[in-house]
Amino acid sequence: MATPPLTPRMLTPTTLSPLGSPRSQQKKSTATVMPEITLEQPSSKTTKSPGSKSTKLLRRVRSAFRSLPIMSPMCKLPMGGARLHENHVHGGTRVTGTLFGYRKTRVNLAVQENPRSLPILLLELAIPTGKLLQDLGVGLVRIALECEKKPSEKTKIVDEPIWALYCNGKKSGYGVKREATEEDLVVMQMLHAVSMGAGVLPVTSGGGGGGGGGGEGDLTYMRAHFERVIGSRDSETYYMMNPDGNSGPELSIFFVRV
């Protein structure tokens, strides 16, 4: 008996989500298992209209940013006594910071007033998530985000849409501010009971998901307390604090207009 000829299957087109994981029609079947978003509005955040000029500008900048290559800098410093020996920065405000993303895609940084609130700041940096987390395990990391100072500047520095990115003094591409997507909010919701720690988040397998099957690696995260220090209207710094009182910040992020 002859075997009938094989008919090629039509492949479902996929697109890349902001976190870097391919999406397909399978999302329709997995949408029902998404956790309910119960994150609270931050006290200092005002709701922006989806059609506002600032939101449209962020979308255009983010679209251009995603066409740039991912940089892989050596994000580490010598360990020769450069650490601070305090676990609190005087004059700082404590916030929650989360680094997350798929290992081979750009790392995201979400800043929240507390783990149960919506992000007040969300950045996408041109550094692979796995590379940054690996270097944080080795030594200190200092990230500088610079943008141009303009006459009569009224925009808050963390509201600038794009910055030049330097990791331990080496140019490493760009950083861009963006609005939180549904996937970002799901990550924050899954971590709402976590004040600090690191690990791998469960992701849906099959169909090219981000949990290894899609070739993007695991969705990893690291959460810690940050001390936010405002130096001036043109400078702001976030220090990631260790729970161990004998060591200082492993990660420092500097925003500066020059």
Side-chain angles (χ1 to χ4, degrees):
M1 182 175 179
T3 302
L6 297 177
T7 303
R9 293 185 302 169
M10 295 298 292
L11 297 179
T12 303
T14 60
T15 56
L16 289 179
S17 72
L19 292 179
S21 62
R23 289 186 293 190
S24 66
Q25 290 182 352
Q26 185 184 8
K27 182 179 178 182
K28 296 180 181 178
S29 62
T30 60
T32 56
V33 299
M34 291 292 184
E36 180 185 359
I37 305 301
T38 60
L39 301 174
E40 304 170 351
Q41 283 286 349
S43 59
S44 59
K45 186 74 171 180
T46 57
T47 303
K48 293 183 179 180
S49 170
S52 65
K53 292 183 179 179
S54 60
T55 300
K56 291 180 179 178
L57 176 61
L58 284 174
R59 288 175 179 172
R60 289 197 296 267
V61 170
R62 179 169 166 265
S63 177
F65 170 76
R66 295 191 67 81
S67 66
L68 300 174
I70 299 178
M71 310 296 288
S72 297
M74 292 298 293
C75 294
K76 56 184 179 181
L77 290 177
M79 299 295 290
R83 296 193 177 195
L84 301 176
H85 294 285
E86 296 183 7
N87 199 38
H88 178 70
V89 179
H90 295 292
T93 302
R94 177 159 294 189
V95 295
T96 297
T98 308
L99 296 166
F100 66 99
Y102 295 94
R103 289 187 178 276
K104 297 180 181 180
T105 61
R106 295 181 176 96
V107 66
N108 301 279
L109 171 65
V111 178
Q112 302 163 272
E113 288 184 352
N114 59 71
R116 298 179 181 274
S117 68
L118 292 167
I120 56 177
L121 176 64
L122 184 59
L123 302 177
E124 186 175 331
L125 309 177
I127 302 174
T129 305
K131 178 63 178 174
L132 180 59
L133 296 183
Q134 177 185 0
D135 291 334
L136 279 170
V138 175
L140 302 180
V141 176
R142 295 175 180 173
I143 293 176
L145 296 162
E146 296 184 358
C147 63
E148 183 181 357
K149 182 188 296 186
K150 300 177 182 178
S152 304
E153 184 64 69
K154 296 181 179 180
T155 303
K156 292 182 179 179
I157 190 168
V158 294
D159 287 336
E160 294 284 354
I162 191 168
W163 298 269
L165 170 64
Y166 298 86
C167 184
N168 290 338
K170 181 177 179 180
K171 181 67 179 294
S172 305
Y174 294 88
V176 65
K177 180 180 180 180
R178 61 180 180 82
E179 297 295 326
T181 65
E182 180 183 356
E183 290 130 314
D184 298 322
L185 296 180
V186 168
V187 172
M188 297 297 102
Q189 182 65 38
M190 295 173 69
L191 296 175
H192 76 281
V194 178
S195 59
M196 62 182 65
V200 179
L201 293 177
V203 293
T204 303
S205 59
E216 297 294 341
D218 296 323
L219 178 57
T220 57
Y221 74 91
M222 182 173 67
R223 169 167 285 182
H225 293 303
F226 279 71
E227 293 282 349
R228 176 191 181 193
V229 179
I230 300 176
S232 67
R233 63 185 303 172
D234 295 319
S235 66
E236 192 165 316
T237 307
Y238 291 78
Y239 299 98
M240 188 181 77
M241 309 308 296
N242 257 334
D244 182 1
N246 294 325
S247 58
E250 297 287 346
L251 171 65
S252 299
I253 302 175
F254 304 89
F255 294 84
V256 61
R257 275 193 285 244
V258 294

PDB file of all heavy atoms in Angstrom, residues 124-157:
ATOM      1  N   GLU A 124      14.923  49.788  29.268  1.00  0.00           N
ATOM      2  CA  GLU A 124      15.466  48.682  28.490  1.00  0.00           C
ATOM      3  C   GLU A 124      16.889  49.059  28.109  1.00  0.00           C
ATOM      4  O   GLU A 124      17.122  50.103  27.487  1.00  0.00           O
ATOM      5  CB  GLU A 124      14.613  48.435  27.244  1.00  0.00           C
ATOM      6  CG  GLU A 124      15.026  47.194  26.460  1.00  0.00           C
ATOM      7  CD  GLU A 124      14.072  46.915  25.311  1.00  0.00           C
ATOM      8  OE1 GLU A 124      12.884  47.282  25.428  1.00  0.00           O
ATOM      9  OE2 GLU A 124      14.516  46.340  24.304  1.00  0.00           O
ATOM     10  N   LEU A 125      17.855  48.237  28.512  1.00  0.00           N
ATOM     11  CA  LEU A 125      19.265  48.535  28.317  1.00  0.00           C
ATOM     12  C   LEU A 125      19.881  47.590  27.292  1.00  0.00           C
ATOM     13  O   LEU A 125      19.543  46.399  27.251  1.00  0.00           O
ATOM     14  CB  LEU A 125      20.028  48.403  29.644  1.00  0.00           C
ATOM     15  CG  LEU A 125      19.447  49.162  30.838  1.00  0.00           C
ATOM     16  CD1 LEU A 125      20.262  48.887  32.087  1.00  0.00           C
ATOM     17  CD2 LEU A 125      19.382  50.662  30.556  1.00  0.00           C
ATOM     18  N   ALA A 126      20.801  48.095  26.481  1.00  0.00           N
ATOM     19  CA  ALA A 126      21.407  47.305  25.411  1.00  0.00           C
ATOM     20  C   ALA A 126      22.516  46.404  25.945  1.00  0.00           C
ATOM     21  O   ALA A 126      23.633  46.390  25.419  1.00  0.00           O
ATOM     22  CB  ALA A 126      21.935  48.223  24.305  1.00  0.00           C
ATOM     23  N   ILE A 127      22.211  45.657  26.997  1.00  0.00           N
ATOM     24  CA  ILE A 127      23.138  44.685  27.567  1.00  0.00           C
ATOM     25  C   ILE A 127      22.364  43.383  27.742  1.00  0.00           C
ATOM     26  O   ILE A 127      21.248  43.405  28.264  1.00  0.00           O
ATOM     27  CB  ILE A 127      23.686  45.149  28.936  1.00  0.00           C
ATOM     28  CG1 ILE A 127      24.386  46.505  28.812  1.00  0.00           C
ATOM     29  CG2 ILE A 127      24.638  44.120  29.524  1.00  0.00           C
ATOM     30  CD1 ILE A 127      24.830  47.086  30.144  1.00  0.00           C
ATOM     31  N   PRO A 128      22.904  42.233  27.328  1.00  0.00           N
ATOM     32  CA  PRO A 128      22.187  40.968  27.529  1.00  0.00           C
ATOM     33  C   PRO A 128      21.943  40.697  29.010  1.00  0.00           C
ATOM     34  O   PRO A 128      22.821  40.917  29.846  1.00  0.00           O
ATOM     35  CB  PRO A 128      23.123  39.920  26.917  1.00  0.00           C
ATOM     36  CG  PRO A 128      23.983  40.689  25.955  1.00  0.00           C
ATOM     37  CD  PRO A 128      24.152  42.043  26.561  1.00  0.00           C
ATOM     38  N   THR A 129      20.760  40.220  29.327  1.00  0.00           N
ATOM     39  CA  THR A 129      20.401  39.946  30.721  1.00  0.00           C
ATOM     40  C   THR A 129      21.384  38.997  31.382  1.00  0.00           C
ATOM     41  O   THR A 129      21.868  39.243  32.493  1.00  0.00           O
ATOM     42  CB  THR A 129      18.982  39.344  30.788  1.00  0.00           C
ATOM     43  OG1 THR A 129      18.065  40.226  30.137  1.00  0.00           O
ATOM     44  CG2 THR A 129      18.548  39.127  32.226  1.00  0.00           C
ATOM     45  N   GLY A 130      21.687  37.894  30.707  1.00  0.00           N
ATOM     46  CA  GLY A 130      22.597  36.905  31.290  1.00  0.00           C
ATOM     47  C   GLY A 130      23.973  37.468  31.567  1.00  0.00           C
ATOM     48  O   GLY A 130      24.596  37.140  32.577  1.00  0.00           O
ATOM     49  N   LYS A 131      24.462  38.348  30.670  1.00  0.00           N
ATOM     50  CA  LYS A 131      25.784  38.948  30.846  1.00  0.00           C
ATOM     51  C   LYS A 131      25.826  39.853  32.062  1.00  0.00           C
ATOM     52  O   LYS A 131      26.756  39.791  32.878  1.00  0.00           O
ATOM     53  CB  LYS A 131      26.150  39.731  29.591  1.00  0.00           C
ATOM     54  CG  LYS A 131      27.478  40.457  29.652  1.00  0.00           C
ATOM     55  CD  LYS A 131      28.637  39.500  29.813  1.00  0.00           C
ATOM     56  CE  LYS A 131      29.962  40.244  29.819  1.00  0.00           C
ATOM     57  NZ  LYS A 131      31.092  39.334  30.111  1.00  0.00           N
ATOM     58  N   LEU A 132      24.810  40.682  32.219  1.00  0.00           N
ATOM     59  CA  LEU A 132      24.787  41.604  33.351  1.00  0.00           C
ATOM     60  C   LEU A 132      24.680  40.858  34.674  1.00  0.00           C
ATOM     61  O   LEU A 132      25.399  41.163  35.639  1.00  0.00           O
ATOM     62  CB  LEU A 132      23.633  42.592  33.202  1.00  0.00           C
ATOM     63  CG  LEU A 132      23.492  43.627  34.319  1.00  0.00           C
ATOM     64  CD1 LEU A 132      24.751  44.468  34.436  1.00  0.00           C
ATOM     65  CD2 LEU A 132      22.281  44.511  34.090  1.00  0.00           C
ATOM     66  N   LEU A 133      23.793  39.862  34.753  1.00  0.00           N
ATOM     67  CA  LEU A 133      23.643  39.111  35.991  1.00  0.00           C
ATOM     68  C   LEU A 133      24.902  38.324  36.316  1.00  0.00           C
ATOM     69  O   LEU A 133      25.272  38.180  37.490  1.00  0.00           O
ATOM     70  CB  LEU A 133      22.437  38.170  35.880  1.00  0.00           C
ATOM     71  CG  LEU A 133      21.072  38.845  35.723  1.00  0.00           C
ATOM     72  CD1 LEU A 133      19.966  37.800  35.690  1.00  0.00           C
ATOM     73  CD2 LEU A 133      20.815  39.846  36.841  1.00  0.00           C
ATOM     74  N   GLN A 134      25.577  37.828  35.282  1.00  0.00           N
ATOM     75  CA  GLN A 134      26.831  37.114  35.512  1.00  0.00           C
ATOM     76  C   GLN A 134      27.892  38.039  36.089  1.00  0.00           C
ATOM     77  O   GLN A 134      28.596  37.685  37.034  1.00  0.00           O
ATOM     78  CB  GLN A 134      27.329  36.515  34.201  1.00  0.00           C
ATOM     79  CG  GLN A 134      28.677  35.794  34.312  1.00  0.00           C
ATOM     80  CD  GLN A 134      29.192  35.313  32.971  1.00  0.00           C
ATOM     81  OE1 GLN A 134      28.556  35.513  31.944  1.00  0.00           O
ATOM     82  NE2 GLN A 134      30.341  34.673  32.970  1.00  0.00           N
ATOM     83  N   ASP A 135      28.014  39.242  35.534  1.00  0.00           N
ATOM     84  CA  ASP A 135      29.019  40.188  36.006  1.00  0.00           C
ATOM     85  C   ASP A 135      28.699  40.721  37.396  1.00  0.00           C
ATOM     86  O   ASP A 135      29.600  41.043  38.167  1.00  0.00           O
ATOM     87  CB  ASP A 135      29.167  41.337  35.015  1.00  0.00           C
ATOM     88  CG  ASP A 135      29.811  40.889  33.706  1.00  0.00           C
ATOM     89  OD1 ASP A 135      30.559  39.896  33.728  1.00  0.00           O
ATOM     90  OD2 ASP A 135      29.554  41.513  32.668  1.00  0.00           O
ATOM     91  N   LEU A 136      27.413  40.814  37.725  1.00  0.00           N
ATOM     92  CA  LEU A 136      27.046  41.229  39.080  1.00  0.00           C
ATOM     93  C   LEU A 136      27.493  40.197  40.108  1.00  0.00           C
ATOM     94  O   LEU A 136      27.764  40.534  41.261  1.00  0.00           O
ATOM     95  CB  LEU A 136      25.531  41.434  39.174  1.00  0.00           C
ATOM     96  CG  LEU A 136      25.002  42.767  38.644  1.00  0.00           C
ATOM     97  CD1 LEU A 136      23.484  42.750  38.559  1.00  0.00           C
ATOM     98  CD2 LEU A 136      25.478  43.917  39.517  1.00  0.00           C
ATOM     99  N   GLY A 137      27.581  38.931  39.707  1.00  0.00           N
ATOM    100  CA  GLY A 137      28.051  37.898  40.611  1.00  0.00           C
ATOM    101  C   GLY A 137      29.557  37.911  40.789  1.00  0.00           C
ATOM    102  O   GLY A 137      30.082  37.249  41.692  1.00  0.00           O
ATOM    103  N   VAL A 138      30.257  38.667  39.938  1.00  0.00           N
ATOM    104  CA  VAL A 138      31.721  38.704  39.993  1.00  0.00           C
ATOM    105  C   VAL A 138      32.224  39.929  40.754  1.00  0.00           C
ATOM    106  O   VAL A 138      33.134  39.849  41.571  1.00  0.00           O
ATOM    107  CB  VAL A 138      32.317  38.685  38.573  1.00  0.00           C
ATOM    108  CG1 VAL A 138      33.830  38.840  38.615  1.00  0.00           C
ATOM    109  CG2 VAL A 138      31.939  37.382  37.868  1.00  0.00           C
ATOM    110  N   GLY A 139      31.637  41.078  40.485  1.00  0.00           N
ATOM    111  CA  GLY A 139      32.128  42.300  41.119  1.00  0.00           C
ATOM    112  C   GLY A 139      31.145  43.442  40.970  1.00  0.00           C
ATOM    113  O   GLY A 139      29.976  43.257  40.634  1.00  0.00           O
ATOM    114  N   LEU A 140      31.638  44.644  41.209  1.00  0.00           N
ATOM    115  CA  LEU A 140      30.805  45.831  41.143  1.00  0.00           C
ATOM    116  C   LEU A 140      30.499  46.205  39.695  1.00  0.00           C
ATOM    117  O   LEU A 140      31.329  46.032  38.815  1.00  0.00           O
ATOM    118  CB  LEU A 140      31.516  47.005  41.828  1.00  0.00           C
ATOM    119  CG  LEU A 140      31.906  46.820  43.298  1.00  0.00           C
ATOM    120  CD1 LEU A 140      32.602  48.066  43.808  1.00  0.00           C
ATOM    121  CD2 LEU A 140      30.683  46.518  44.131  1.00  0.00           C
ATOM    122  N   VAL A 141      29.325  46.718  39.478  1.00  0.00           N
ATOM    123  CA  VAL A 141      28.911  47.193  38.152  1.00  0.00           C
ATOM    124  C   VAL A 141      28.389  48.612  38.303  1.00  0.00           C
ATOM    125  O   VAL A 141      27.552  48.883  39.161  1.00  0.00           O
ATOM    126  CB  VAL A 141      27.832  46.283  37.535  1.00  0.00           C
ATOM    127  CG1 VAL A 141      27.358  46.856  36.206  1.00  0.00           C
ATOM    128  CG2 VAL A 141      28.358  44.868  37.339  1.00  0.00           C
ATOM    129  N   ARG A 142      28.894  49.497  37.464  1.00  0.00           N
ATOM    130  CA  ARG A 142      28.442  50.886  37.465  1.00  0.00           C
ATOM    131  C   ARG A 142      27.934  51.239  36.077  1.00  0.00           C
ATOM    132  O   ARG A 142      28.678  51.141  35.100  1.00  0.00           O
ATOM    133  CB  ARG A 142      29.573  51.827  37.876  1.00  0.00           C
ATOM    134  CG  ARG A 142      30.029  51.610  39.318  1.00  0.00           C
ATOM    135  CD  ARG A 142      31.216  52.470  39.665  1.00  0.00           C
ATOM    136  NE  ARG A 142      31.647  52.248  41.043  1.00  0.00           N
ATOM    137  CZ  ARG A 142      32.754  52.767  41.567  1.00  0.00           C
ATOM    138  NH1 ARG A 142      33.538  53.541  40.833  1.00  0.00           N
ATOM    139  NH2 ARG A 142      33.070  52.517  42.825  1.00  0.00           N
ATOM    140  N   ILE A 143      26.691  51.633  36.004  1.00  0.00           N
ATOM    141  CA  ILE A 143      26.060  51.989  34.736  1.00  0.00           C
ATOM    142  C   ILE A 143      25.763  53.484  34.744  1.00  0.00           C
ATOM    143  O   ILE A 143      25.150  53.993  35.681  1.00  0.00           O
ATOM    144  CB  ILE A 143      24.763  51.190  34.520  1.00  0.00           C
ATOM    145  CG1 ILE A 143      25.099  49.701  34.320  1.00  0.00           C
ATOM    146  CG2 ILE A 143      23.992  51.720  33.321  1.00  0.00           C
ATOM    147  CD1 ILE A 143      23.872  48.822  34.196  1.00  0.00           C
ATOM    148  N   ALA A 144      26.234  54.163  33.715  1.00  0.00           N
ATOM    149  CA  ALA A 144      25.966  55.592  33.565  1.00  0.00           C
ATOM    150  C   ALA A 144      25.085  55.795  32.348  1.00  0.00           C
ATOM    151  O   ALA A 144      25.351  55.254  31.271  1.00  0.00           O
ATOM    152  CB  ALA A 144      27.270  56.369  33.403  1.00  0.00           C
ATOM    153  N   LEU A 145      24.014  56.562  32.534  1.00  0.00           N
ATOM    154  CA  LEU A 145      23.088  56.897  31.451  1.00  0.00           C
ATOM    155  C   LEU A 145      23.150  58.408  31.245  1.00  0.00           C
ATOM    156  O   LEU A 145      22.777  59.174  32.135  1.00  0.00           O
ATOM    157  CB  LEU A 145      21.675  56.435  31.795  1.00  0.00           C
ATOM    158  CG  LEU A 145      21.511  54.911  31.926  1.00  0.00           C
ATOM    159  CD1 LEU A 145      20.233  54.564  32.672  1.00  0.00           C
ATOM    160  CD2 LEU A 145      21.508  54.268  30.551  1.00  0.00           C
ATOM    161  N   GLU A 146      23.638  58.821  30.096  1.00  0.00           N
ATOM    162  CA  GLU A 146      23.869  60.228  29.824  1.00  0.00           C
ATOM    163  C   GLU A 146      22.984  60.719  28.688  1.00  0.00           C
ATOM    164  O   GLU A 146      22.761  60.005  27.706  1.00  0.00           O
ATOM    165  CB  GLU A 146      25.340  60.473  29.456  1.00  0.00           C
ATOM    166  CG  GLU A 146      26.315  60.164  30.584  1.00  0.00           C
ATOM    167  CD  GLU A 146      27.736  60.520  30.201  1.00  0.00           C
ATOM    168  OE1 GLU A 146      27.958  60.968  29.045  1.00  0.00           O
ATOM    169  OE2 GLU A 146      28.643  60.344  31.036  1.00  0.00           O
ATOM    170  N   CYS A 147      22.479  61.936  28.851  1.00  0.00           N
ATOM    171  CA  CYS A 147      21.752  62.582  27.769  1.00  0.00           C
ATOM    172  C   CYS A 147      22.163  64.049  27.723  1.00  0.00           C
ATOM    173  O   CYS A 147      22.802  64.560  28.647  1.00  0.00           O
ATOM    174  CB  CYS A 147      20.241  62.442  27.944  1.00  0.00           C
ATOM    175  SG  CYS A 147      19.586  63.225  29.426  1.00  0.00           S
ATOM    176  N   GLU A 148      21.803  64.699  26.650  1.00  0.00           N
ATOM    177  CA  GLU A 148      22.237  66.074  26.437  1.00  0.00           C
ATOM    178  C   GLU A 148      21.388  67.053  27.234  1.00  0.00           C
ATOM    179  O   GLU A 148      20.165  66.936  27.278  1.00  0.00           O
ATOM    180  CB  GLU A 148      22.154  66.408  24.942  1.00  0.00           C
ATOM    181  CG  GLU A 148      22.650  67.798  24.595  1.00  0.00           C
ATOM    182  CD  GLU A 148      22.536  68.093  23.109  1.00  0.00           C
ATOM    183  OE1 GLU A 148      22.122  67.183  22.358  1.00  0.00           O
ATOM    184  OE2 GLU A 148      22.839  69.233  22.700  1.00  0.00           O
ATOM    185  N   LYS A 149      22.064  67.987  27.878  1.00  0.00           N
ATOM    186  CA  LYS A 149      21.355  69.040  28.602  1.00  0.00           C
ATOM    187  C   LYS A 149      20.916  70.109  27.610  1.00  0.00           C
ATOM    188  O   LYS A 149      21.690  70.538  26.757  1.00  0.00           O
ATOM    189  CB  LYS A 149      22.259  69.655  29.664  1.00  0.00           C
ATOM    190  CG  LYS A 149      21.577  70.731  30.497  1.00  0.00           C
ATOM    191  CD  LYS A 149      22.565  71.457  31.400  1.00  0.00           C
ATOM    192  CE  LYS A 149      23.173  70.538  32.432  1.00  0.00           C
ATOM    193  NZ  LYS A 149      24.023  71.299  33.399  1.00  0.00           N
ATOM    194  N   LYS A 150      19.654  70.520  27.730  1.00  0.00           N
ATOM    195  CA  LYS A 150      19.111  71.528  26.834  1.00  0.00           C
ATOM    196  C   LYS A 150      18.774  72.796  27.617  1.00  0.00           C
ATOM    197  O   LYS A 150      18.446  72.732  28.801  1.00  0.00           O
ATOM    198  CB  LYS A 150      17.850  71.000  26.138  1.00  0.00           C
ATOM    199  CG  LYS A 150      18.091  69.750  25.310  1.00  0.00           C
ATOM    200  CD  LYS A 150      16.808  69.227  24.718  1.00  0.00           C
ATOM    201  CE  LYS A 150      17.040  67.943  23.937  1.00  0.00           C
ATOM    202  NZ  LYS A 150      15.781  67.397  23.381  1.00  0.00           N
ATOM    203  N   PRO A 151      18.862  73.966  26.966  1.00  0.00           N
ATOM    204  CA  PRO A 151      18.508  75.214  27.655  1.00  0.00           C
ATOM    205  C   PRO A 151      17.067  75.186  28.152  1.00  0.00           C
ATOM    206  O   PRO A 151      16.178  74.670  27.471  1.00  0.00           O
ATOM    207  CB  PRO A 151      18.701  76.282  26.573  1.00  0.00           C
ATOM    208  CG  PRO A 151      19.631  75.664  25.580  1.00  0.00           C
ATOM    209  CD  PRO A 151      19.328  74.195  25.590  1.00  0.00           C
ATOM    210  N   SER A 152      16.854  75.723  29.336  1.00  0.00           N
ATOM    211  CA  SER A 152      15.512  75.787  29.937  1.00  0.00           C
ATOM    212  C   SER A 152      14.867  74.413  30.004  1.00  0.00           C
ATOM    213  O   SER A 152      13.675  74.243  29.711  1.00  0.00           O
ATOM    214  CB  SER A 152      14.611  76.754  29.150  1.00  0.00           C
ATOM    215  OG  SER A 152      15.192  78.036  29.070  1.00  0.00           O
ATOM    216  N   GLU A 153      15.649  73.398  30.392  1.00  0.00           N
ATOM    217  CA  GLU A 153      15.151  72.030  30.491  1.00  0.00           C
ATOM    218  C   GLU A 153      14.154  71.905  31.635  1.00  0.00           C
ATOM    219  O   GLU A 153      14.442  72.249  32.770  1.00  0.00           O
ATOM    220  CB  GLU A 153      16.320  71.060  30.733  1.00  0.00           C
ATOM    221  CG  GLU A 153      15.928  69.596  30.754  1.00  0.00           C
ATOM    222  CD  GLU A 153      15.389  69.138  29.414  1.00  0.00           C
ATOM    223  OE1 GLU A 153      16.166  69.072  28.460  1.00  0.00           O
ATOM    224  OE2 GLU A 153      14.171  68.867  29.352  1.00  0.00           O
ATOM    225  N   LYS A 154      12.935  71.423  31.331  1.00  0.00           N
ATOM    226  CA  LYS A 154      11.899  71.255  32.344  1.00  0.00           C
ATOM    227  C   LYS A 154      11.547  69.785  32.577  1.00  0.00           C
ATOM    228  O   LYS A 154      10.855  69.461  33.530  1.00  0.00           O
ATOM    229  CB  LYS A 154      10.638  72.028  31.942  1.00  0.00           C
ATOM    230  CG  LYS A 154      10.846  73.542  31.880  1.00  0.00           C
ATOM    231  CD  LYS A 154       9.557  74.248  31.512  1.00  0.00           C
ATOM    232  CE  LYS A 154       9.763  75.762  31.463  1.00  0.00           C
ATOM    233  NZ  LYS A 154       8.504  76.482  31.101  1.00  0.00           N
ATOM    234  N   THR A 155      12.023  68.908  31.693  1.00  0.00           N
ATOM    235  CA  THR A 155      11.719  67.488  31.822  1.00  0.00           C
ATOM    236  C   THR A 155      12.538  66.868  32.949  1.00  0.00           C
ATOM    237  O   THR A 155      13.734  67.138  33.075  1.00  0.00           O
ATOM    238  CB  THR A 155      12.043  66.750  30.500  1.00  0.00           C
ATOM    239  OG1 THR A 155      11.322  67.355  29.435  1.00  0.00           O
ATOM    240  CG2 THR A 155      11.688  65.273  30.601  1.00  0.00           C
ATOM    241  N   LYS A 156      11.894  66.050  33.784  1.00  0.00           N
ATOM    242  CA  LYS A 156      12.629  65.322  34.805  1.00  0.00           C
ATOM    243  C   LYS A 156      13.623  64.396  34.121  1.00  0.00           C
ATOM    244  O   LYS A 156      13.338  63.825  33.073  1.00  0.00           O
ATOM    245  CB  LYS A 156      11.685  64.508  35.682  1.00  0.00           C
ATOM    246  CG  LYS A 156      10.777  65.345  36.559  1.00  0.00           C
ATOM    247  CD  LYS A 156       9.914  64.447  37.438  1.00  0.00           C
ATOM    248  CE  LYS A 156       9.019  65.279  38.343  1.00  0.00           C
ATOM    249  NZ  LYS A 156       8.155  64.411  39.199  1.00  0.00           N
ATOM    250  N   ILE A 157      14.772  64.211  34.742  1.00  0.00           N
ATOM    251  CA  ILE A 157      15.826  63.457  34.082  1.00  0.00           C
ATOM    252  C   ILE A 157      15.422  62.016  33.805  1.00  0.00           C
ATOM    253  O   ILE A 157      15.771  61.448  32.771  1.00  0.00           O
ATOM    254  CB  ILE A 157      17.143  63.519  34.906  1.00  0.00           C
ATOM    255  CG1 ILE A 157      18.289  62.926  34.081  1.00  0.00           C
ATOM    256  CG2 ILE A 157      16.983  62.821  36.246  1.00  0.00           C
ATOM    257  CD1 ILE A 157      19.651  63.197  34.654  1.00  0.00           C
TER     258      ILE A 157
END
